[in-house]
Amino acid sequence: MGNASGALRIKNVRVGSDSGLVQVTIEQGKIMQVGRAQESFVADIDAEGGLMVPALVDAHVHLDAALTEGFPSPNHSGTLIEGIERWGQRKPYLTEEDVIARAEEAIRWHVGHGVLKIRSHVDICDPDLTALRALIKVREKVRPWVTLQLVAFPQDGIFCFPDGPLLIEEAMRLGADAVGGIPHYEWTREDGIRDVEYAFQLAARYHKPVDIHCDETDDDQSRFVETMAKLTSQYGMAGQVTASHTTAMGSYNDAYAFKLIRILAQAGMLVVANPLDNVVLQGRFDTYPKRRGMTRVKELMAAGVPVAAGHDSIMDPWYPLGSGSQLFVASMLAHVGQLTGTEELKACFDSITYAGAKAMQLRDYGIEEGMRADLAIFDVPTTTDALRLLPRPRWVVAGGSIVASTPPSATKVLWDGEYRSVSYLRAPQGPPNLQ
Ligand code: FE2
């Protein structure tokens, strides 16, 4: 099925939770036609009523650290601080081959879950920039199938790490796609502000977007996102600036949070929440009640600030779990952010599709005629069913060619000598089918 010329015909497919069944024609890697089902249509794929969505987006992951969990020693406490210590012990072992092998494996895991758009932060606090050089090679290798963006990320700080300013600039010169930062990790508030300012100066010099790890702490006095908003406005960078994590927003007083969310919306900033890592790493200094370690997703969305959700870690020193499933990430976002209203669940799915695409500034993204055919086809009829059942896509299509496929998910089990449904797939309208 499918071929190198990127031609593919799909029938009995839905293109939205409220959509009827349509047929889709793809030619030369682009979506040529989305139309009503016709008897005479000869298809390569019969989606049997499943849901087609644009390729899922992981707008925030650390591929250089992926799959390093446990070596040279495991994170016994599971805390952020021990994670940083363990990563520091792992870094001397980094070689280009090691980074390439792990990153490619983690990308394959993503692709199997329908994720073809990935923004990876890359630690540049290394005099040799080994991980960045390796991931630039990976970016070129996967380009036909996967859009991989690399953020120059100063894990150990810009101003509290030897030659930090030179290293992050060198990373931009080598070809990083976005400038990162970590203001809350600098030693002083003043250096934190310089950290943000330096990122914007580099962004202007290299004509690149900004994506800063900002206020990833429970400290309610950590307030660097406001500086990002001011500079986004001053530099005229609306739509090009992302604040990642921003967990301190969960601890701010309501009056300050209200003001901050207003200025983020006004400045045209974006936010990426990372619910998997943050729900386990934050709140560690609390006894009870414990904070959830999440930014104010519901309120940001209500104010019109695009919120994407990232996987952040896949089996690394900070988070020993993870599989590349962005559906699991969106499901966790729904739980931790209490986003279970009907429209809110749709917004959670949006956080791993269209909002993620906005954070990555992808232009050719969506299921519309003329767009590049980067798609995932699930054997569930709605996005809510996808969030509930967390299936792998049956087919993953990149540029019109099938790049991954998974057998249909088992929705029936043998019980008392009879196969019975265990998933209750709802019809979009009408009564439930309980057979
Ligand atoms: Fe991160």
Side-chain angles (χ1 to χ4, degrees):
M1 281 188 292
N3 57 48
S5 70
L8 196 65
R9 291 155 73 91
I10 304 157
K11 71 175 183 181
N12 289 327
V13 72
R14 296 173 208 281
V15 290
S17 294
D18 306 321
S19 147
L21 295 176
V22 297
Q23 61 187 38
V24 177
T25 306
I26 296 164
E27 280 169 21
Q28 294 181 332
K30 290 186 182 302
I31 298 168
M32 296 307 287
Q33 204 179 34
V34 179
R36 257 197 304 158
Q38 286 169 345
E39 279 290 303
S40 57
F41 189 75
V42 180
D44 302 298
I45 288 178
D46 182 350
E48 298 176 327
L51 177 71
M52 173 189 284
V53 297
L56 303 186
V57 181
D58 184 356
H60 186 117
V61 68
H62 296 254
L63 289 178
D64 53 341
L67 310 179
T68 58
E69 186 269 332
F71 180 80
S73 43
N75 182 341
H76 293 287
S77 65
T79 57
L80 178 63
I81 295 299
E82 191 178 339
I84 292 172
E85 205 178 308
R86 299 295 167 226
W87 176 236
Q89 291 168 344
R90 179 62 170 80
K91 274 209 251 185
Y93 294 93
L94 290 181
T95 62
E96 273 194 30
E97 299 72 41
D98 160 52
V99 176
I100 289 170
R102 287 183 292 96
E104 287 186 357
E105 179 77 3
I107 290 170
R108 271 194 295 277
W109 291 11
H110 272 90
V111 172
H113 282 289
V115 182
L116 299 175
K117 313 290 174 186
I118 302 171
R119 175 177 275 186
S120 176
H121 293 252
V122 189
D123 186 0
I124 52 82
C125 292
D126 159 18
D128 300 322
L129 296 174
T130 303
L132 182 71
R133 290 174 202 279
L135 278 162
I136 285 173
K137 289 183 180 166
V138 173
R139 182 178 65 188
E140 296 316 308
K141 191 170 169 190
V142 301
R143 197 182 287 279
W145 314 282
V146 173
T147 307
L148 176 61
Q149 295 179 354
L150 305 174
V151 185
F153 168 52
Q155 173 76 69
D156 298 320
I158 296 176
F159 294 104
C160 60
F161 188 78
D163 294 331
L166 296 178
L167 286 169
I168 192 166
E169 168 136 33
E170 177 64 5
M172 296 315 297
R173 209 188 53 75
L174 283 176
D177 300 289
V179 193
I182 191 161
H184 56 279
Y185 196 77
E186 303 288 355
W187 283 17
T188 65
R189 169 156 180 86
E190 290 70 25
D191 276 354
I193 289 171
R194 283 171 70 207
D195 180 300
V196 176
E197 287 172 345
Y198 192 65
F200 276 82
Q201 286 161 15
L202 284 182
R205 206 174 309 153
Y206 288 87
H207 306 289
K208 297 290 184 190
V210 169
D211 188 340
I212 292 179
H213 277 64
C214 203
D215 301 324
E216 187 185 5
T217 164
D218 292 323
D219 176 7
D220 65 349
Q221 298 302 310
S222 185
R223 296 182 172 188
F224 297 106
V225 179
E226 64 184 22
T227 305
M228 289 186 70
K230 185 186 84 173
L231 295 178
T232 301
S233 188
Q234 270 180 10
Y235 278 81
M237 288 184 69
Q240 300 172 62
V241 175
T242 298
S244 281
H245 293 284
T246 68
T247 54
M249 215 184 286
S251 297
Y252 296 152
N253 69 68
D254 290 337
Y256 178 68
F258 178 80
K259 173 206 159 186
L260 184 65
I261 289 170
R262 180 174 56 78
I263 65 172
L264 290 193
Q266 229 171 306
M269 280 179 61
L270 303 103
V271 168
V272 178
N274 297 290
L276 300 184
D277 280 54
N278 286 138
V279 77
V280 296
L281 294 176
Q282 307 308 129
R284 287 279 183 151
F285 295 105
D286 297 350
T287 54
Y288 288 93
K290 277 186 187 291
R291 282 169 284 181
R292 287 171 184 243
M294 275 275 281
T295 190
R296 299 196 184 203
V297 176
K298 197 183 286 255
E299 292 76 9
L300 285 162
M301 285 176 169
V305 177
V307 181
H311 205 300
D312 205 14
S313 291
I314 300 177
M315 298 183 71
D316 70 16
W318 295 276
Y319 182 75
L321 307 172
S323 66
S325 168
Q326 281 298 91
L327 285 180
F328 181 58
V329 171
S331 167
M332 187 63 78
L333 186 76
H335 287 85
V336 184
Q338 298 185 335
L339 295 158
T340 46
T342 306
E343 296 308 316
E344 291 171 341
L345 283 172
K346 286 183 182 161
C348 287
F349 199 85
D350 202 62
S351 77
I352 56 164
T353 50
Y354 289 94
K358 271 189 193 153
M360 287 183 68
Q361 294 174 259
L362 303 176
R363 280 173 195 90
D364 195 5
Y365 184 85
I367 302 185
E368 276 163 48
E369 290 169 5
M371 291 201 161
R372 190 183 143 95
D374 290 336
L375 310 160
I377 304 167
F378 291 94
D379 59 359
V380 296
T382 69
T383 55
T384 300
D385 284 313
L387 291 177
R388 190 171 62 82
L389 298 166
L390 311 180
R392 282 175 186 273
R394 282 282 284 114
W395 296 278
V396 182
V397 176
S401 298
I402 297 171
V403 290
S405 59
T406 302
S409 47
T411 54
K412 295 196 170 183
V413 291
L414 190 60
W415 192 326
D416 260 355
E418 201 182 322
Y419 277 97
R420 289 168 181 266
S421 168
V422 286
S423 72
Y424 171 35
L425 286 175
R426 294 174 307 173
Q429 280 106 31
N433 171 13
L434 290 173
Q435 266 95 62

